[in-house]
Amino acid sequence: MREQSLTYGSDTRELPEDRMTAPSNLQTGDLISTDPRTGAEVARFPVADAATVIEAVDAAREAAAWWGDLAPKARRSWLLRFRAELSRRAEELAAVISAETGKPTDDALLEVMLAVVHIDWAAKNAEKVLGRRKVPSGLLGANLAATVEYRPFGVVGCIGPWNYPVFTPMGSVSYALAAGNAVVFKPSELTPAVGQFLADTWNAACPGQPVLQVIHGGGETGAALCRSGVDKLAFTGSARTARTVMATCAESLTPVTIEGGGKDAFLIDSDADVDAAVDAAAFGAFGNAGQTCAGVERVYVVSDRYDEFVDKLVARTRALRGGDDDGADYGPATMARQLPIIAGHIDDALAHGGRALVGGRESVGETTVQPVVLVDVPEDSTAVTDETFGPTVVVNRVATIEEGIERANNSTYGLSAAIMTRNVSRGRELARLLRTGSVAVNSFLSFASVPALPFGGLGDSGFGRIHGADGLREFSRPQAVAAQKFTAPMNLLTFDRKARDMKAVRLMLRHVYGR
Ligand code: NAD
């Protein structure tokens, strides 16, 4: 087998030719996306070089001046038009998502639905969250009117992944637009047609100004975007690439938001509804072929419910099937490069005493991975420590839910987690012990469907937030204004300061703040 090297993500690796399905397209000057189910070409676009990226950012800067100066109500109505247009064309978009990722069209449609819900929320709440508001001016500022307002940065660059090529980047793109920024978006090189569809739909809904543009390419185009002078960079992708992106942005002190990967834990307490837990864990682990940043990769079950959970999960998993056809529960691996990583995690688990109750190493096929359930896997196996991003799950027994939480927290990642317990208020208390950005109680991923909730992680899962009020503020710069209404009886910021004023300061320090 001929080996070729290619630059993908942050590193250059030697990869076998048959593992290069998508990235090899970058070597031709054109970016060609292919259907992972058939290998057939889906679309091709010219790769944007550094000069093209700068051109796009320059055009975006002019558009940003127009967009940022619009009355908030006008921006809201343009965004709602975009939302309506996307909703009307949702089936068409789902077909493009399906073609480029290989996921079932119903899953793709749900992704569009989620994105639309967020665009709607961002459009309708931007003015309330970001608009000018008064704040108390305090003892020293009694003569001041103090206000804070969240102003747009100007031009925001967004770099997206391929696993949810609409929902994920739109978490940055729509909130950045709603906050009054123009956006230059570089979709994943695996899903350029999806990115192009989004930009084309925007431009049909809001013609005239390039408020949302798309540029195509891989890591080099992404790096050019980081260096292009954008005012903020929103990155979604792996922790490994995130480190490179941050280093590149550091050259120009460009602020970054990082939405990285995850190794999410799913915790099952003694009082849990085990059937509901099986249903949620199976969907969380195997849905979208396990290619979900906040997917279920580790399950910790309290000892007295462990056997029941494992038996039912095994039965449920045996009924699931990955495949290229419409009847499959999930599709092939979108990125063939991930297949050896998934196989490596299974090997590592089995080599260190883990057991496969469903599937095994042989489940990793040429394009598709059949579901794998692993048990008794040591906590230091790569199957537990590293993001697998495939339809495999590790289920381990814990003595108490507190032990499960401790193990869940023992991770470099901190994206999200789930807790199953019939006692919802205890679930909320347990959630506070988890070192993650989000927690679902008695469900999987439910927080992502609530647009008012912020989403993001810590550690290798990144920092900054998309969604909700925090997501709008993420793409804004707070501006503080203190307007003097009348001359202060006590003026301390002058060389002509009075001795009696300093006496008042000393009294205040002692009697107001010194107690
Ligand atoms: P990736 O890190 O390989 O690539 C992400 C993006 O970065 C792509 O658009 C790529 O072209 C670009 N890129 C690569 N090298 C670059 C460089 N040097 N400079 C600038 N840009 C560069 O990730 P992926 O394989 O596309 O996506 C999967 C990863 O994304 C997983 O780790 C997953 O967990 C994560 N993810 C996170 C979230 C979240 O919201 N936290 C959502 C979806 C996916």
Side-chain angles (χ1 to χ4, degrees):
M1 188 184 299
R2 191 165 62 90
E3 298 267 309
Q4 290 191 1
S5 78
L6 74 157
T7 304
Y8 186 82
S10 49
D11 56 347
T12 301
R13 301 176 186 196
E14 295 296 319
L15 291 173
E17 197 175 23
D18 63 352
R19 294 278 183 251
M20 302 181 39
T21 335
S24 61
N25 51 20
L26 284 172
Q27 297 175 331
T28 64
D30 265 357
L31 175 61
I32 304 166
S33 67
T34 51
D35 188 327
R37 296 167 296 195
T38 59
E41 178 175 328
V42 176
R44 68 170 68 204
F45 302 94
V47 170
D49 60 11
T52 311
V53 174
I54 300 273
E55 246 173 62
V57 172
D58 286 349
R61 201 159 290 291
E62 282 185 31
W66 169 75
W67 182 245
D69 275 351
L70 282 182
K73 288 207 170 21
R75 270 201 299 272
R76 169 190 159 122
S77 75
W78 286 118
L79 280 156
L80 293 180
R81 262 196 209 204
F82 175 51
R83 179 214 59 189
E85 188 69 11
L86 266 189
S87 305
R88 278 194 292 268
R89 300 183 64 193
E91 299 277 356
E92 220 181 305
L93 176 54
V96 183
I97 298 172
S98 228
E100 286 194 324
T101 62
K103 71 173 77 174
T105 39
D106 277 1
D107 285 359
L109 195 68
L110 283 180
E111 181 183 337
V112 177
M113 174 73 201
L114 275 178
V116 160
V117 166
H118 280 277
I119 298 168
D120 186 69
W121 192 91
K124 290 177 178 165
N125 287 277
E127 187 176 4
K128 190 170 75 196
V129 172
L130 306 175
R132 185 182 299 156
R133 66 183 160 82
K134 280 190 192 157
V135 295
S137 50
L139 208 54
L140 293 180
N143 63 326
L144 305 173
T147 55
V148 61
E149 183 179 353
Y150 293 82
R151 305 280 303 131
F153 277 105
V155 181
V156 172
C158 292
I159 297 178
W162 46 264
N163 59 334
Y164 290 89
V166 170
F167 175 59
T168 293
M170 287 311 285
S172 303
V173 171
S174 57
Y175 285 79
L177 290 172
N181 303 283
V183 172
V184 179
F185 169 38
K186 191 204 83 64
S188 163
E189 54 272 45
L190 300 191
T191 53
V194 173
Q196 191 64 50
F197 190 105
L198 292 172
D200 290 349
T201 309
W202 171 269
N203 288 314
C206 181
Q209 293 276 354
V211 173
L212 172 60
Q213 297 172 79
V214 71
I215 51 171
H216 296 291
E220 281 183 20
T221 306
L225 186 58
C226 296
R227 292 199 172 95
S228 64
V230 290
D231 302 296
K232 174 134 192 176
L233 197 288
F235 170 81
T236 310
S238 61
R240 183 191 182 93
T241 311
R243 287 179 167 81
T244 311
V245 163
M246 206 172 157
T248 311
C249 287
E251 292 166 10
S252 51
L253 268 190
T254 301
V256 287
T257 295
I258 301 287
E259 296 292 338
K263 189 73 188 175
D264 283 6
F266 189 93
L267 299 142
I268 301 167
D269 205 354
S270 297
D271 66 345
D273 175 343
V274 166
D275 291 325
V278 167
D279 187 55
F283 185 70
F286 309 125
N288 202 32
Q291 305 167 124
T292 301
C293 55
V296 174
E297 299 224 352
R298 304 178 284 157
V299 180
Y300 295 110
V301 195
V302 171
S303 202
D304 56 356
R305 307 304 295 280
Y306 180 81
D307 292 335
E308 180 191 356
F309 175 80
V310 168
D311 288 349
K312 288 181 170 172
L313 181 69
V314 164
R316 181 74 193 94
T317 307
R318 288 208 171 112
L320 296 174
R321 182 178 60 82
D324 299 346
D325 55 299
D326 283 346
D329 297 293
Y330 61 82
T334 304
M335 182 172 71
R337 192 169 68 101
Q338 197 66 17
L339 293 168
I341 296 171
I342 299 168
H345 287 190
I346 298 170
D347 285 346
D348 194 73
L350 299 179
H352 291 92
R355 292 180 296 129
L357 299 187
V358 180
R361 180 66 166 74
E362 69 286 359
S363 305
V364 182
E366 277 298 301
T367 58
T368 303
V369 182
Q370 296 307 327
V372 179
V373 176
L374 299 162
V375 295
D376 302 335
V377 183
E379 292 287 313
D380 60 354
S381 162
T382 52
V384 176
T385 57
D386 295 5
E387 187 178 47
T388 307
F389 230 51
T392 68
V393 68
V394 170
V395 186
N396 279 343
R397 186 193 292 268
V398 288
T400 60
I401 196 72
E402 287 76 13
E403 185 194 343
I405 288 173
E406 203 182 311
R407 292 202 199 185
N409 285 342
N410 187 20
S411 171
T412 58
Y413 291 104
L415 192 55
S416 62
I419 299 180
M420 301 297 289
T421 166
R422 283 186 207 268
N423 184 342
V424 174
S425 52
R426 179 167 149 76
R428 270 201 218 96
E429 283 310 305
L430 292 170
R432 299 185 68 231
L433 304 176
L434 281 158
R435 202 182 143 275
T436 59
S438 319
V439 180
V441 177
N442 288 328
S443 59
F444 158 70
L445 202 66
S446 43
F447 40 79
S449 64
V450 181
L453 285 176
F455 181 74
L458 37 101
D460 279 352
S461 298
F463 48 81
R465 293 293 180 264
I466 54 172
H467 302 170
D470 294 281
L472 286 167
R473 290 194 196 105
E474 189 72 35
F475 296 104
S476 316
R477 55 182 174 88
Q479 188 174 51
V481 175
Q484 182 163 303
K485 294 178 292 184
F486 51 86
T487 310
M490 185 171 87
N491 188 2
L492 300 170
L493 303 180
T494 167
F495 288 117
D496 299 328
R497 212 156 39 202
K498 308 258 183 332
R500 69 175 156 81
D501 290 345
M502 283 314 295
K503 193 174 165 194
V505 166
R506 289 191 172 89
L507 280 173
M508 236 180 350
L509 278 172
R510 199 170 316 129
H511 297 296
V512 181
Y513 297 109
R515 289 190 290 178

